[in-house]
Amino acid sequence: MKTTATDPAREVGRPALPPARISDTGLPTFTQGSGQGIGTRRQLGPNVSPRRSGLPGALPLVGICCLMSAALFAVSPAAGPRLIPQATQVTWEAGTFELTERTPVLLPPNCPTAAWAAAALNRHLAMHGFQVRVQASSEKPARRAIQLRILSPTDPQLGEEGYQLAISGKGVVLAANQPAGLFYGVQTLAQLLPAPAKPAPSAVPSRLELPGVRIVDTPRFGWRGLLLDVSRHFFTTTEVKASIETMALFKFNHLQLHLTDDQGWRLEVKARPQLTAVGAWRVPRQGNWWSYDPPLPGEAATDGGFFTQAEIRDLVAFACERFITLVPEIETPGHSLATLAAYPELSCGGGPFQVNPGSRFYGRIENTLCPGNDATFAFLDQVIGEVAGLFPGTYIHIGGDEAFHGFWGKCPKCKQRMVGENLKSLAELQSYFVKRVEKIVESKGKRLIGWDEILDGGLAPNATVMSWRGTAGAETASKLGHLVVLSPSSHYYLDLYQGDPALESSTYSQARLREVYQFEPVPASVSPQLVLGIQGNLWTESIPTLRQAQYMTWPRALAIAESAWSAPVRKDWPEFFSRAEVQMERLTQAGINCARSVYDPIVTPKKDAEGFLVLELSSELEEVSLHYTFATANPDPTYPAYQAPLRIPRNAAEIRVVSVRHGRAVGRQLNLPIPELVKRLGTACKLYPEKDAP
C-alpha cells in the first residue's frame, strides 16, 4: 500500500475554521483556510484486490451495512447533533434539504476512490428503502444535489482525513482534501438522517430531510484503532466484516488482527502448511478459560479455523473501501505454542507440543521460539514475507509481550548465542531477537510495531511501541524518539468487566463506560508529535461468539472513538452520554448486541468508623435514583430510595437494587449476597451489633 510521508506531529488545539458561503450556483461552499495544519500521520487506502463474498452463518452484513441509519432520531438545531465522535465545529443554518431517490450524488473528477464514499451513503440509505443516483460531476452547475469535492488547492487545516459539510435548502456540499475525508463526512451525514420509517419496506418514505448545518471536522489522531483477537476464538470473514462495518461508522481507521497465539494460528502460510494443518486446531473445551483440562491422549483437535490467503485479500479490500487499515499481528517470540505444535524444531527443547485449549501452562510448557536457532529466523523470514504480501499497510505487529525466558536460560543454543553476540542477560537476548526480526520486517518493505515489552533489553532502532502496561512504555519510547500508540489495559482492554461481575460473563478487572470516556490516554510527559494514536483491544479468551464480542465492544468503543477523534477539552460526560444513548439504540435496532451495563446499579462495600460493613449505592448516570431492599423481593420505584450508606439489617441474606430513571426501572436488577460483599471488602468487618441498642 502506498502510504503518506507526512510528519507524525499533530496539534490538539484547533485553529479557527473557515466560514461557509453560498456560491453563485446556490450551493454552500467553503472559503479556503490558512494557518498551521493538523498534520497527523495517516495512511491512504490500499490498492484494491479482487473481492469475493464472505462465509455464511454470521449476522447478515446488510443489517450492519445499513446500521448507520437504523435508529437515528431526527436531528434539529434545538436538539443538537447526536454525533459520535463529536465534530470539531457545528453551526446550524436555516432551512432543510430534501433528499429523494432522484437526488444525484456528484463525484469529483479524476478520483475513483471517491466512489467509496458514495457507496457508503447508499448503504446508509438502503435502510430507508431507496438509494440515490451516483454520477460524475459536470461543468454545468447542479442544484439540489449532493456534491462530493476534492479541494484544490488543498486546505491545510483539514489534513488528509478532515472534511467540510454544508447543508442548505439548495443542496449538500461535502469537501475534503482526500477521499478519506469524504468518507468520514458521509458517516456524519448519515448520523444527521432521521430514523427510517417503520414498518419497512411498505411504509418507507419517498424523501428524507436533512437539517441546514455547516460542519468542519478534523481528527485528533491518525491512528484510531481496535484489536480483534481471532486466535483465542476464531471469527469468520463474515464476522470480521461485520465488525469492520460498525467500526467505520464511528471513524475508526485501524483494525489489528491478532492472528497467532498459543491457542491457534489463523493465517494460511503457503511455505509452512503445518501452521494451519496443525496449529489452527485444538481440542474443544467450554467453561471458564484457564480452568480447562489439557488435551487428553488421542483426543481429536476439532476446534478452530483459519483464513485462506484469498479470504485475507477479500478482507483487505473490504476494509480498504471503508478506509480501514488491517494490521496483522504475528506473535513472537512468546505466545507461540501453536507455532511449536506445527514446527517443534523451532523450540529450545524439541517438543512434542499441542495447541493449548485454554488450560494453565505458562512456565511449565515451552511457548517461545528459540533465538539461538537460525532456523527460527529462516521461518520468520518466510512467514513475514507472505504476511507483507497480503497486508498492504505500513506495519506488521510482532507481539513481543510476555515471553517466558526460563527455557532460554537452559538452552545450549541460546547460551551460545549470548556468548557470540556479547549479550549480558536474557532480556538482552530478547532485544537481539526483536532487532533481528525488525530487519526481516524492514526487508519486506514494512515497519515493526510491538507491545511495550520490546523496550526490555534495548529497543530496536526504528520500532514503534504500542503501550499496554499503562502509559510507561509510551513515555519511555517517546523519550527515545520513537513513535507510540497508546493502548493502556486499565481502560482500553475491552474484555474487562463493564458492569458488576454478578451480572456479566466471567472475566477480570473492570473498565466502565464512564471511566473509559473520561480517561485521557496521552500523559503530559509523552511528546505529542510522537503519538500516532490510540487503540482499544478485545482479547477473546472468554468471548467465543460474535454476539459476545459485540457486547464487550459496544458502547465502550464509542468512548474510544470520541477520544481518538475529538479534542480532549471537549469532554463532558453527561453530554457525551446523551449522544451515546442514541447510538446505543441505533446499534441495538441494527441487530448489534450493545451492552446496557451503564444503566445497572453499583454497590460498593466499605467499612465505617465503627468497623461495620456499609454499602454505598451509586450509578454511572445522573438523574438516576437507586431503590433497594434486603428482603427476598424485587424492588421497583416504590421501594426505598438510597440516600446514605446502608448498614446490614440483622439476618439479611442479600441486597437487591434497581436503577430508576425518569420514573421507570432501567438496567438490570442487581442481587448481591452479603457474604459476597464481605469477600469484596477484603478485610474483617462486623455485620451488625452483637446486642441491639436499648
Side-chain angles (χ1 to χ4, degrees), residues 438-513:
E438 182 181 59
K439 292 180 180 179
I440 295 173
V441 170
E442 292 180 344
S443 74
K444 313 304 179 185
K446 304 296 183 180
R447 292 194 61 174
L448 181 146
I449 186 171
W451 303 110
D452 55 50
E453 285 95 332
I454 66 173
L455 285 158
D456 299 344
L459 186 57
N462 302 310
T464 296
V465 173
M466 187 170 281
S467 186
W468 74 276
R469 295 179 298 179
T471 61
E475 295 176 71
T476 301
S478 67
K479 290 176 182 176
L480 297 171
H482 286 251
L483 297 172
V484 299
V485 175
L486 277 298
S487 189
S489 61
S490 59
H491 292 80
Y492 286 176
Y493 270 27
L494 297 173
D495 53 319
L496 306 186
Y497 286 113
Q498 57 192 315
D500 194 283
L503 298 173
E504 305 285 348
S505 298
S506 177
T507 181
Y508 64 102
S509 195
Q510 191 170 72
R512 296 184 182 272
L513 175 61

Side-chain angles (χ1 to χ4, degrees), residues 636-660:
D636 60 28
T638 67
Y639 277 66
Y642 173 78
Q643 302 293 334
L646 304 170
R647 280 193 177 183
I648 310 300
R650 187 176 295 277
N651 298 131
E654 67 178 1
I655 186 172
R656 299 183 178 189
V657 190
V658 67
S659 302
V660 174

Side-chain angles (χ1 to χ4, degrees), residues 303-474:
D303 184 14
F306 63 92
F307 300 112
T308 66
Q309 293 196 1
E311 288 170 334
I312 289 296
R313 293 188 185 97
D314 179 42
L315 282 175
V316 166
F318 185 89
C320 167
E321 293 180 9
R322 288 143 184 87
F323 292 89
I324 290 176
T325 298
L326 298 186
V327 181
E329 181 182 1
I330 305 298
E331 273 278 10
T332 188
H335 287 274
S336 295
L337 189 50
T339 306
L340 297 182
Y343 294 98
E345 65 271 20
L346 303 180
S347 69
C348 290
F353 303 97
Q354 294 175 289
V355 179
N356 180 264
S359 54
R360 292 189 178 276
F361 73 93
Y362 189 79
R364 299 194 301 268
I365 298 175
E366 192 175 355
N367 75 329
T368 50
L369 302 183
C370 177
N373 188 348
D374 285 334
T376 295
F377 300 100
F379 165 82
L380 290 172
D381 185 80
Q382 289 178 316
V383 170
I384 291 171
E386 293 195 28
V387 170
L390 292 170
F391 293 89
T394 299
Y395 283 99
I396 292 177
H397 202 298
I398 59 94
D401 61 304
E402 298 178 330
F404 181 68
H405 297 166
F407 293 95
W408 292 357
K410 303 174 184 178
C411 173
K413 290 182 180 179
C414 289
K415 292 179 179 178
Q416 184 178 356
R417 179 77 73 191
M418 292 178 69
V419 171
E421 299 293 336
N422 194 28
L423 305 174
K424 302 295 191 297
S425 66
L426 295 175
E428 289 188 10
L429 179 60
Q430 173 156 340
S431 175
Y432 163 85
F433 183 99
V434 173
K435 290 173 181 176
R436 190 161 171 180
V437 172
E438 182 181 59
K439 292 180 180 179
I440 295 173
V441 170
E442 292 180 344
S443 74
K444 313 304 179 185
K446 304 296 183 180
R447 292 194 61 174
L448 181 146
I449 186 171
W451 303 110
D452 55 50
E453 285 95 332
I454 66 173
L455 285 158
D456 299 344
L459 186 57
N462 302 310
T464 296
V465 173
M466 187 170 281
S467 186
W468 74 276
R469 295 179 298 179
T471 61

